[in-house]
Amino acid sequence: MSQRDWPLYEVFVRARNGMSHRHVGSVHAADPAMAVEMARDVYTRRSEGVSLWVVPSAAIIASDPRDKDVMFETMGDKIYRHPTFYDIPADVKNI
Amino acid sequence: MYTQGLNIEAGDKSIPLEDRNSALMQRFQSRIDAEEKVEPTDWMPEGYRKTLIRQISQHAHSEIVGMLPEGNWITRAPSLRRKMILLAKVQDEGGHGLYLYSAAETLGISRAELIDQLLTGKAKYSSIFNYPTPTWADVGAIGWLVDGAAIMNQVPLCRCSYGPYARAMIRVCKEESFHQRQGYEIMIALSQGTAEQKRMAQEALNRWWWPSLMMFGPSDAASLHSSQNMAWKIKRVSNDELRQKFVDVTVPQAEFLGLTVPDPDLRWNGETGHYEFGEIDWTEFNQVLAGNGPCNRDRMKKRRKAHDDGAWVREAALAHAEKRRARQAMTAAAAE
């Protein structure tokens, strides 16, 4: 009974005009056009979106989870990148 | 729907009990204790992965097989309004199955393997879908009781420690409330109708009450692996606790309809603030799980037939996509 799966696509939905597309899940489809149709039926049955992106899952290049600390934790102590790091006297306005 | 995939039968060794004291395990458990979500690329114990594949896939299979008892009534719905609603509901169940299959696939199993497990009988689906829907009132009772019980089960799953499952459950729960309300509305219409319609509603309640209570799975005392699944925050509320909650909210709804819950032992306990109810027929439950319910064979026969009948479509779509890709490549090469 085994057979080859249709390729996997990741689905992104733009909920409203002015918002970015957001990942909502994935679908299997034989080709990109079918992936759009499948994504519409599976992820927007209740007006959840005004636009769809589908991307072959194999095309996504992700950061390696083993590099998480090296990649992201080094930013933890760089608090001077945030405006609240700086003391400005209360008398100074509009800054 | 449902957490029956978490109920392991005695003697089933497919899911190992883990050594809780290893360093990796302790780190994993402390993340769970801190309410962190586990994502697909994170390290996880083999037992955690296997439990989730089993639970999520059986949940998905339940949604897919669950389309059959109600799909049976789409062509015979009593009005266009009811037909549109039922079509939308059955389409939702298919959609829920697809969200859940995708979540299971993040654990490293293919869609084809998952479907194979259902069709060969290796994987189970919820016991509830092995009961027949002889009248239109059964469609109402399924929405009211079966989807009601599903909501009880699924709401705590939204807080499951495995991220993709929790996210799929949030989507499912948002859509499930419509299912229950449309079912209860059918029951209201019937119970306020003619004497014969009211009798239909009562008979459907009689058929679905006990199987709905069985959906919550064996009693806590008889649940194997339950404490491990609680510790891993896969399951967050026990079977008996969920079942009690369901009875407490559903009995007043039956009273509103003027229908009688088919349990002579049912009574309100003012001290505990809960309904007491009779003993579930666990022999029946085990028979249904073992494949001997009223509709087990028919459901699987229909699923296999649908899968086999669709095989040529799946193959043709792939062949067409490949042909078109090849043709585009040729056109592109000629243009250079």
Side-chain angles (χ1 to χ4, degrees):
Chain A
M1 245 179 289
S2 289
Q3 93 278 315
R4 204 152 43 110
D5 271 335
W6 282 344
L8 192 65
Y9 291 82
E10 298 304 315
V11 179
F12 299 80
V13 174
R14 184 201 293 281
R16 282 192 311 279
N17 177 269
M19 303 193 50
S20 51
H21 286 76
R22 194 171 158 210
H23 184 245
V24 290
S26 50
V27 291
H28 286 278
D31 60 41
M34 190 197 279
V36 171
E37 286 164 14
M38 295 284 215
R40 170 193 174 266
D41 287 347
V42 177
Y43 292 104
T44 61
R45 288 194 303 282
R46 287 175 176 76
S47 324
E48 286 95 338
V50 293
S51 165
L52 275 171
W53 286 351
V54 295
V55 179
S57 306
I60 290 182
I61 298 149
S63 61
D64 189 329
R66 283 168 303 184
D67 295 342
K68 199 170 79 182
D69 295 354
V70 183
M71 297 265 288
F72 306 111
E73 266 180 26
T74 53
M75 296 304 145
D77 57 1
K78 296 184 174 53
I79 49 173
Y80 48 84
R81 289 174 186 263
H82 298 278
T84 45
F85 178 73
Y86 302 93
D87 289 328
I88 305 288
D91 297 344
V92 182
K93 301 298 176 197
N94 298 317
I95 185 163
Chain B
M1 302 180 202
Y2 343 111
T3 51
Q4 286 182 359
L6 294 174
N7 303 319
I8 313 284
E9 284 157 45
D12 181 343
K13 298 218 164 57
S14 63
I15 292 174
L17 282 167
E18 310 272 342
D19 170 16
R20 293 188 195 197
N21 298 319
S22 75
L24 269 171
M25 278 292 276
Q26 281 176 354
R27 221 177 84 188
F28 180 78
Q29 191 60 51
S30 65
R31 285 191 58 201
I32 301 265
D33 293 342
E35 296 289 329
E36 274 183 47
K37 292 285 182 221
V38 179
E39 294 297 338
T41 50
D42 296 343
W43 183 87
M44 62 186 86
E46 209 35 39
Y48 181 85
R49 180 188 301 277
K50 284 188 168 155
T51 301
L52 276 164
I53 289 179
R54 178 188 184 123
Q55 163 57 23
I56 301 172
S57 65
Q58 295 196 16
H59 195 156
H61 300 328
S62 302
E63 303 283 357
I64 299 299
V65 177
M67 292 195 281
L68 292 171
E70 290 180 292
N72 179 35
W73 277 94
I74 290 174
T75 56
R76 293 174 290 160
S79 68
L80 183 58
R81 176 178 182 270
R82 295 284 184 208
K83 185 184 286 209
M84 290 191 307
I85 292 169
L86 188 55
L87 265 172
K89 177 183 193 290
V90 173
Q91 192 193 13
D92 270 358
E93 307 296 2
H96 296 177
L98 294 178
Y99 308 152
L100 290 161
Y101 280 132
S102 294
E105 286 172 79
T106 63
L107 291 157
I109 185 164
S110 74
R111 180 76 58 96
E113 279 175 273
L114 293 167
I115 304 284
D116 248 22
Q117 289 179 351
L118 171 67
L119 298 180
T120 57
K122 195 180 160 219
K124 292 197 167 68
Y125 54 88
S126 176
S127 56
I128 194 76
F129 298 117
N130 293 311
Y131 290 87
T133 45
T135 72
W136 173 251
D138 293 284
V139 176
I142 288 181
W144 170 35
L145 300 172
V146 175
D147 289 287
I151 291 170
M152 285 288 166
N153 250 318
Q154 291 176 153
V155 167
L157 289 176
C158 295
R159 295 186 295 125
C160 168
S161 59
Y162 188 57
Y165 192 28
R167 291 191 286 273
M169 289 322 300
I170 289 169
R171 293 188 68 86
V172 169
C173 284
K174 273 188 192 161
E175 299 178 351
E176 202 79 71
S177 174
F178 136 60
H179 298 180
Q180 194 190 15
R181 290 171 69 114
Q182 65 83 36
Y184 194 69
E185 195 197 63
I186 291 173
M187 296 304 280
I188 293 177
L190 290 172
S191 53
Q192 293 175 352
T194 63
E196 199 188 345
Q197 285 173 322
K198 190 164 181 186
R199 186 174 52 80
M200 270 173 63
Q202 180 62 54
E203 285 173 1
L205 171 57
N206 296 349
R207 275 192 287 277
W208 291 94
W209 176 256
W210 290 105
S212 297
L213 295 195
M214 292 175 198
M215 281 173 67
F216 296 94
S219 70
D220 295 346
S223 300
L224 283 103
H225 282 247
S226 192
S227 66
Q228 177 66 90
N229 292 333
M230 290 277 203
W232 278 337
K233 298 190 179 170
I234 294 175
K235 192 169 171 57
R236 308 201 60 142
V237 186
S238 82
N239 293 353
D240 286 337
E241 210 177 313
L242 288 168
R243 190 167 12 241
Q244 183 66 55
K245 217 171 143 191
F246 175 74
V247 172
D248 288 343
V249 304
T250 310
V251 171
Q253 294 166 356
E255 283 167 1
F256 178 86
L257 294 171
L259 301 179
T260 310
V261 173
D263 178 358
D265 297 326
L266 185 78
R267 62 173 168 274
W268 174 252
N269 183 332
E271 272 173 44
T272 61
H274 295 292
Y275 284 94
E276 291 170 3
F277 53 97
E279 186 60 26
I280 289 169
D281 181 355
W282 294 114
T283 317
E284 176 185 322
F285 177 67
N286 289 324
Q287 281 295 318
V288 175
L289 282 191
N292 302 320
C295 299
N296 295 55
R297 285 172 192 81
D298 184 57
R299 299 286 186 244
M300 286 317 296
K301 209 171 99 188
K302 287 221 168 70
R303 270 321 308 156
R304 286 193 197 104
K305 183 175 183 318
H307 189 76
D308 294 345
D309 288 353
W312 73 271
V313 180
R314 295 190 295 276
E315 284 161 23
L318 261 188
H320 176 68
E322 268 159 33
K323 197 171 82 180
R324 219 167 43 176
R325 215 172 4 250
R327 196 178 292 155
Q328 275 169 357
M330 244 163 46
T331 321
E336 276 169 19

